[in-house]
Amino acid sequence: MAVAGVMALSGCGYNDLQGLDEDTKAAWSEVVNQYQRRADLIPNLVATVKGYAEHERETLEAVVNARSKATATQVTPEMLKDPAAFEEFQKAQAGLTTALSRLIAIAENYPNLKADQNFRDLQSQLEGTENRIAVARKRYIEKVAEYNKMVRFFPTNLTAKFILHMEEKPNFSVPDESAIAKPPDVKF
């Protein structure tokens, strides 16, 4: 009888669900890690660019303000369970991405900015960081999809619901897809 109980439990997905829950938390931590890397780079980028682009003060201030908003939200694993807090965090990060896109577009239109080695190095670091963020988001999205399938598929959905009290995790979403489909406007 005990052997039959153990055999039945082995197919319940308990360990798989726990593992996927930890995987999604780890993937989210990597997203946050990359956001922090970006936030740490921005002050150096802004300081370098300010020396060469005083006339673009408004854009630089927008980057600083967006960075401030993006880093003001404390990210915790509990945030993944709160769709409103998760959405607010995503909006702040989207605002920073938009501000940085404008800054890079301005830099491409000002040869004297591009000629400065420090700026080019920082710009390269920033572009690399944006790529790392994209990769970290992709990995998180994949882990959430895998986790959500496990939470919804039978028979593991029974374990998820009745034993572990697990629910689907929210994934990344974009508040206004049409706004990100077009390149940013750069006005001089």
Side-chain angles (χ1 to χ4, degrees), residues 4 18 43 74 125 150 177:
Q18 295 288 7
Q74 294 297 318
Q125 287 283 330
M150 194 80 161
E177 288 184 27

Side-chain angles (χ1 to χ4, degrees), residues 102-113:
R102 283 185 293 161
L103 178 63
I104 289 171
I106 287 170
E108 291 173 353
N109 288 304
Y110 283 92
N112 61 327
L113 287 177

Side-chain angles (χ1 to χ4, degrees), residues 31-161:
V31 172
V32 172
N33 178 43
Q34 294 306 324
Y35 282 145
Q36 184 62 49
R37 182 178 189 274
R38 175 172 70 178
D40 293 343
L41 281 174
I42 292 171
N44 294 325
L45 177 61
V46 170
T48 301
V49 173
K50 271 188 174 179
Y52 288 91
E54 193 57 38
H55 57 284
E56 292 301 329
R57 182 181 50 80
E58 181 178 320
T59 299
L60 296 173
E61 287 177 355
V63 170
V64 170
N65 291 336
R67 175 189 176 267
S68 177
K69 287 179 185 175
T71 58
T73 303
Q74 294 297 318
V75 181
T76 64
E78 289 75 34
M79 177 181 276
L80 297 176
K81 296 176 184 175
D82 182 357
F86 190 72
E87 182 179 333
E88 191 64 32
F89 179 78
Q90 288 187 94
K91 284 181 184 176
Q93 293 300 328
L96 181 54
T97 299
T98 300
L100 290 172
S101 296
R102 283 185 293 161
L103 178 63
I104 289 171
I106 287 170
E108 291 173 353
N109 288 304
Y110 283 92
N112 61 327
L113 287 177
K114 288 177 71 175
D116 180 73
Q117 184 62 42
N118 289 333
F119 178 78
R120 287 186 299 195
D121 290 346
L122 289 168
Q123 183 178 16
S124 176
Q125 287 283 330
L126 187 59
E127 289 169 353
T129 298
E130 291 299 315
N131 287 336
R132 289 176 182 180
I133 289 170
V135 168
R137 281 180 178 169
K138 180 181 180 289
R139 288 180 182 152
Y140 174 74
I141 289 166
E142 289 168 352
K143 282 296 172 190
V144 167
E146 188 178 352
Y147 170 87
N148 286 346
K149 286 178 196 173
M150 194 80 161
V151 167
R152 295 180 61 206
F153 287 1
F154 182 82
T156 55
N157 66 333
L158 300 173
T159 303
K161 184 174 184 177

